[in-house]
Amino acid sequence: KQEVTQIPAALSVPEGENLVLNCSFTDSAIYNLQWFRQDPGKGLTSLLLIQSSQREQTSGRLNASLDKSSGRSTLYIAASQPGDSATYLCAVDLASGTYKYIFGTGTRLKVLA
Amino acid sequence: ETGVTQTPRHLVMGMTNKKSLKCEQHLGHNAMYWYKQSAKKPLELMFVYNFKEQTENNSVPSRFSPECPNSSHLFLHLHTLQPEDSALYLCASSQGREGPGGYTFGSGTRLTVV
């Protein structure tokens, strides 16, 4: 059974810091992995989608890497800003069966001005 | 606007009421999903529809009844709910395995059962 873990559960950093959020999964046979952002009480906003054949994806200050063999993905946020404060979720899709995502519990990020 | 619209945004209902949640997407996606998000828990998959056919029911109690009349619309009918069903209900859509994958989420319905 696929399990997705995110570390740390919560993180508080001063503005301007570069930071790394971690996601690990137990079954390396995945179709893709997606990082999301969720503001309190709101839906999820897609940040980056990495296909199983890709090693990384970049969008602005965000960079996500994927190492399938070790079951890990990292989300790198450069020059963090208070507006980055949110919960960050990763989700993986198994390569077989019905297409559906298994989510991690998220990392709650607070960037202090 | 994310491309996936959920209504209502907030809903308060009594345990004997019947209500429905609505989800609509105009992204041309062929798969739609219901997820439940409770405090301090990972998102829980409830139902998956692919080309209007239900392909997954994740052991959801029968007081939750999904309906997918076409690939653009998804409903979740609610009846005789319990207070522990209070949560944020999220709808998502995707191209599934027909495309590159990836979900687009709606803003959710915050449900409170009293």
Side-chain angles (χ1 to χ4, degrees):
Chain A
K1 179 187 172 187
Q2 177 73 277
E3 292 183 5
V4 181
T5 305
Q6 289 187 246
I7 294 173
L11 185 61
S12 186
V13 300
E15 182 177 8
E17 274 204 10
N18 301 324
L19 48 98
V20 174
L21 308 182
N22 297 294
C23 172
S24 61
F25 45 95
T26 53
D27 187 338
S28 62
I30 65 169
Y31 189 73
N32 61 42
L33 181 146
Q34 193 168 4
W35 282 94
F36 296 89
R37 167 193 172 131
Q38 185 176 30
D39 293 291
K42 302 290 179 62
L44 279 65
T45 300
S46 176
L47 298 174
L48 291 164
L49 171 66
I50 310 178
Q51 303 297 332
S52 61
S53 59
Q54 297 175 324
R55 296 286 298 200
E56 66 177 345
Q57 283 286 332
T58 298
S59 175
R61 294 183 293 109
L62 304 179
N63 175 277
S65 66
L66 174 64
D67 183 344
K68 256 193 355 173
S69 60
S70 66
R72 290 195 297 186
S73 175
T74 60
L75 179 66
Y76 176 82
I77 303 177
S80 58
Q81 302 170 357
D84 294 330
S85 299
T87 296
Y88 290 81
L89 295 153
C90 72
V92 299
D93 173 43
L94 292 180
S96 62
T98 304
Y99 176 70
K100 64 181 185 285
Y101 272 155
I102 307 299
F103 281 83
T105 49
T107 293
R108 194 169 61 255
L109 172 66
K110 187 167 186 179
V111 181
L112 306 170
Chain B
E1 186 56 62
T2 64
V4 177
T5 304
Q6 288 188 246
T7 54
R9 295 293 301 273
H10 301 273
L11 178 63
V12 179
M13 61 184 288
M15 288 191 283
T16 58
N17 291 161
K18 289 185 181 181
K19 296 285 185 183
S20 296
L21 310 184
K22 180 182 177 182
C23 177
E24 186 173 356
Q25 60 94 4
H26 296 289
L27 299 169
H29 290 168
N30 51 46
M32 296 187 78
Y33 312 81
W34 280 116
Y35 277 85
K36 175 183 178 182
Q37 188 175 38
S38 305
K40 304 197 188 302
K41 284 186 175 182
L43 272 79
E44 301 172 57
L45 178 68
M46 300 177 73
F47 301 104
V48 179
Y49 278 83
N50 198 28
F51 291 105
K52 303 189 301 177
E53 299 297 321
Q54 188 180 118
T55 56
E56 188 100 6
N57 176 338
N58 203 24
S59 302
V60 180
S62 59
R63 57 185 184 271
F64 295 91
S65 175
E67 178 190 2
C68 188
N70 54 60
S71 293
S72 299
H73 294 86
L74 183 65
F75 296 89
L76 188 62
H77 303 302
L78 316 171
H79 64 98
T80 59
L81 294 191
Q82 304 298 312
E84 60 264 29
D85 296 322
S86 298
L88 181 67
Y89 288 85
L90 291 163
C91 173
S93 71
S94 77
Q95 288 180 296
R97 297 283 165 76
E98 308 301 316
Y103 279 10
T104 300
F105 274 90
S107 299
T109 294
R110 171 68 61 184
L111 173 67
T112 303
V113 181
V114 298

